[in-house]
């Protein structure tokens, strides 16, 4: 049985370079847009693009999903939904709405 040798194609060799070039174009375009931002947009943008904010969002989405599962189980058992669950739903709604509104404020064109 013959050994199979992998020979990269031209598209394999060029893909990383093209990807890096596109990434550089997007970065320079983003920097040009940010030059026009107000100081408040810079602050909010810095917070919303941080790793900490991403982790917070992930935690909130997981918490929301967990609450949805719990509430679904309660409804299937014909149990009443507690007041704290309704309050949490409103908190999630406010948080997601604020997130969208701030992103529209930051990334508007």
């Amino acid at each position: 049985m013959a050994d199979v040798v992998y020979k990269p194609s031209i598209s394999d060799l060029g893909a990383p370079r093209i990807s890096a070039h596109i990434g550089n174009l997007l970065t320079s375009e983003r920097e040009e847009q940010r030059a026009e931002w107000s100081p408040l947009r810079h602050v909010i943008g810095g917070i919303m693009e941080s790793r900490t904010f991403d982790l917070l969002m992930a935690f909130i989405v997981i918490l929301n999903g967990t609450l949805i599962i719990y509430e679904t189980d309660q409804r299937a058992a014909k149990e009443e939904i507690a007041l704290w669950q309704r309050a949490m739903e409103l908190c999630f709604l406010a948080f997601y709405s604020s997130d969208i509104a701030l992103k529209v404020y930051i990334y508007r064109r």
Side-chain angles (χ1 to χ4, degrees):
M1 197 175 213
D3 291 340
V4 177
V5 177
Y6 174 74
K7 293 181 182 178
S9 67
I10 293 175
S11 62
D12 291 339
L13 296 174
R17 281 187 247 148
I18 292 170
S19 178
H21 180 68
I22 290 171
N24 290 340
L25 287 175
L26 293 175
T27 302
S28 64
E29 182 180 320
R30 184 181 295 170
E31 288 173 1
E32 289 174 12
Q33 291 173 353
R34 285 183 179 210
E36 301 170 4
W37 285 12
S38 68
L40 180 61
R41 278 177 78 183
H42 277 284
V43 170
I44 295 172
I47 291 169
M48 294 192 74
E49 291 179 346
S50 70
R51 178 140 172 89
T52 303
F53 187 78
D54 287 343
L55 292 173
L56 176 66
M57 282 298 295
F59 174 75
I60 288 174
V61 168
I62 291 169
L63 184 62
N64 189 11
T66 304
L67 185 63
I68 289 170
I69 292 169
Y70 180 69
E71 186 176 327
T72 302
D73 289 345
Q74 282 186 307
R75 288 180 191 269
K78 307 257 191 258
E79 296 176 10
E80 188 174 325
I81 305 303
L83 182 61
W84 68 268
Q85 289 172 289
R86 301 265 184 217
M88 287 297 294
E89 288 175 3
L90 292 175
C91 288
F92 287 127
L93 176 64
F95 187 81
Y96 293 138
S97 298
S98 300
D99 182 50
I100 293 287
L102 288 172
K103 285 182 179 176
V104 167
Y105 171 72
I106 293 168
Y107 299 117
R108 66 179 184 243
R109 293 208 177 222

